[in-house]
Amino acid sequence: IHHLVMKLFCGFTLLLAIAVAYNVYIPLPRTISEPWKLMVLDAAFRGVVMMGDVAHSLGLSHRVHVINSAIVSFESLVPITNQEIQTEDILFDGVHVRVYQPPGQDGKLRRAVMFIHGGGWAVGAPKLGSYDSLCRQMAADLDAVVVTVDYRMAPDVHFPVQYEECVQAAKHFLRPEVLTKYSVNPERVAVCGDSAGGNLAAAVAQRIGTDNTTTVKFKLQVLVYPVLQALDFNTASYQQNQNVPILYRRLMARFWLEYLGADLNLVHSLMINNHTAQDQSLMSLIRSKLEWTTLLPKRVIQHYKPVFPVTGYLSILNDIPALLDTRAAPLLAEDEVLRMAPRAYIMTGEHDVLRDDGMMYARRLELAGVSVTNEHYKDGFHGCVSFGFWPCYFSVGIRAVQNYIAWLDKHL
């Protein structure tokens, strides 16, 4: 009996190991940062997404709420860093924000950073875990006032609410009397965001740059692997990295549709560019703004070719006009708008579907006369900055955080 139990135990263990390996292992590029750690992280995230889909299909909860609950639970485990930094949760023109301030004030004016968190406009915990740690580190390392915007998210609200709340918070913070209250130098304020937060930061920077009613402007914009357009889901980086964690092409398309309040059944149509087929007359006016075959360096284009079907679904652009709205897709902005934008730092990762969004925007800003630093990480993947802190840190995340704070320190 003892031998039989041992055999059964060994057999069960083997099957469990095979099941775990099957669910965890995915082929990854050789140059990506710490691939086995990323596989485990991705398996956990895929499990949460699957739970969300099941709960949603059973009518128990919206899939996004399930994902966000899991993220909040995980981020709550991250210890608070730089505890000397003082925090204040307050409303800026009705928008929830948290203000981080270094201790002590000797009368000199400080620099300031407005930070907008990512998460597909739908998930994220800006006051917990990695985002809290990042804001505290910026405040400490830069001796700066940092404001993080806790904007409302999908599915509770949709575009343009997230954008408008970030604009409201920015315009309030940039008011001279508010900057004076926090002892901020009005000539040394930056706006920063990652992923969907990078999208919002770029859009806010464009709005403030062209707004004649705002006397104080942002000096810098920092865009960390930003998502900037939803018209081409087959750029070279989308083709190359469509199955690379943690942001798969299908997931990015879902986030876009959720943000814009559109039908999630359109995911496949977006992924094959049915909404921007060659027979779409609307596209002829804006195609040059995302012509990656001319905007990107040849080393990243490699062997990839544009994918635009001959015929598509005109109804998609008609039903979702926000796909063409520069407030949602800052890459589509006119040159005269880009010329008014502040100096930019744009971080991109080689193994990220959004790599080309950032690189195209960097090139368009340069062509408009804006100074741009494009920091590219050959081992970078989407979300790596959020993994620059204990307990789930990657070497590329630590480097990315250090380097972009160093750039801010030098130029802000």
Side-chain angles (χ1 to χ4, degrees):
I1 295 176
H2 176 71
H3 289 297
L4 179 61
V5 171
M6 286 301 296
K7 284 184 178 180
L8 288 172
F9 176 76
C10 290
F12 175 76
T13 303
L14 178 61
L15 288 173
L16 182 62
I18 291 171
V20 170
Y22 177 78
N23 284 286
V24 171
Y25 178 79
I26 52 173
L28 290 176
R30 288 182 295 107
T31 54
I32 204 165
S33 178
E34 301 173 80
W36 279 102
K37 191 187 293 186
L38 184 57
M39 285 182 204
V40 173
L41 176 70
D42 177 62
F45 184 66
R46 280 187 286 118
V48 169
V49 172
M50 190 179 302
M51 284 171 48
D53 288 341
V54 171
H56 191 95
S57 63
L58 295 175
L60 300 176
S61 177
H62 195 287
R63 58 172 60 86
V64 171
H65 291 153
V66 174
I67 296 171
N68 217 20
S69 294
I71 290 173
V72 169
S73 297
F74 175 78
E75 295 285 17
S76 298
L77 301 175
V78 179
I80 296 176
T81 58
N82 296 103
Q83 295 192 28
E84 76 281 1
I85 300 298
Q86 300 161 3
T87 63
E88 177 189 21
D89 293 332
I90 193 173
L91 294 175
F92 275 10
D93 192 20
V95 179
H96 290 273
V97 303
R98 171 171 284 183
V99 181
Y100 297 82
Q101 296 184 82
Q105 177 68 346
D106 56 8
K108 69 180 178 66
L109 295 179
R110 286 190 165 117
R111 301 177 286 190
V113 177
M114 171 162 278
F115 182 80
I116 306 173
H117 74 89
W121 309 279
V123 298
K127 299 176 183 178
L128 291 173
S130 57
Y131 281 130
D132 180 62
S133 297
L134 177 60
C135 289
R136 288 174 180 273
Q137 187 168 334
M138 284 192 288
D141 292 355
L142 300 172
D143 188 33
V145 174
V146 176
V147 175
T148 187
V149 186
D150 190 7
Y151 57 89
R152 287 177 293 162
M153 298 183 289
D156 302 324
V157 297
H158 302 284
F159 173 82
V161 174
Q162 291 90 328
Y163 163 80
E164 291 293 355
E165 289 196 353
C166 290
V167 169
Q168 284 172 235
K171 293 181 76 169
H172 179 89
F173 185 53
L174 293 175
R175 285 164 51 186
E177 64 270 25
V178 177
L179 295 176
T180 299
K181 173 186 173 183
Y182 291 106
S183 299
V184 169
N185 185 333
E187 297 180 356
R188 304 180 76 185
V189 185
V191 62
C192 171
D194 71 309
S195 191
N199 166 285
L200 293 167
V204 168
Q206 289 180 7
R207 173 75 168 266
I208 297 299
T210 57
D211 190 339
N212 294 328
T213 66
T214 308
T215 56
V216 179
K217 306 292 184 181
F218 288 115
K219 181 181 181 182
L220 304 172
Q221 58 178 322
V222 173
L223 313 179
V224 177
Y225 34 76
V227 49
L228 299 166
Q229 58 86 28
L231 295 179
D232 189 354
F233 285 88
N234 286 276
T235 60
S237 61
Y238 265 116
Q239 293 184 54
Q240 173 183 305
N241 301 308
Q242 59 185 294
N243 294 314
V244 176
I246 57 176
L247 185 63
Y248 298 93
R249 176 168 63 176
R250 173 175 290 276
L251 183 59
M252 189 65 251
R254 277 175 57 168
F255 275 136
W256 266 112
L257 292 170
E258 195 73 68
Y259 178 41
L260 302 181
D263 183 358
L264 292 184
N265 291 320
L266 293 173
V267 164
H268 181 69
S269 291
L270 260 60
M271 287 171 57
I272 61 174
N273 283 354
N274 256 346
H275 59 311
T276 51
Q278 296 175 39
D279 64 343
Q280 309 293 323
S281 58
L282 287 172
M283 284 300 299
S284 61
L285 303 173
I286 58 176
R287 207 177 289 279
S288 63
K289 297 172 183 175
L290 62 159
E291 188 63 69
W292 52 267
T293 56
T294 57
L295 291 171
L296 297 177
K298 287 186 170 55
R299 62 178 173 80
V300 300
I301 295 175
Q302 300 180 62
H303 60 280
Y304 297 104
K305 305 292 183 185
V307 177
F308 291 109
V310 176
T311 59
Y313 299 142
L314 178 62
S315 61
I316 296 178
L317 290 181
N318 289 335
D319 294 343
I320 318 174
L323 288 167
L324 301 172
D325 193 322
T326 58
R327 298 173 301 167
L331 181 60
L332 306 182
E334 299 293 340
D335 289 343
E336 53 264 31
V337 173
L338 298 184
R339 276 194 286 272
M340 304 297 289
R343 182 175 185 172
Y345 174 98
I346 300 178
M347 183 192 300
T348 52
E350 180 62 25
H351 308 293
D352 180 4
V353 291
L354 301 180
R355 178 198 68 193
D356 295 351
D357 280 29
M359 286 190 166
M360 283 192 286
Y361 196 54
R363 184 59 182 147
R364 286 208 61 213
L365 285 170
E366 285 178 342
L367 292 172
V370 178
S371 175
V372 180
T373 298
N374 180 194
E375 183 115 41
H376 184 66
Y377 290 89
K378 293 182 179 179
D379 58 344
F381 58 90
H382 193 81
C384 62
V385 164
S386 293
F387 304 113
F389 306 93
W390 192 91
C392 189
Y393 53 81
F394 285 73
S395 61
V396 66
I398 295 170
R399 280 183 280 119
V401 171
Q402 291 174 342
N403 290 344
Y404 102 70
I405 291 180
W407 187 88
L408 274 172
D409 193 29
K410 180 178 180 180
H411 297 287
L412 185 56

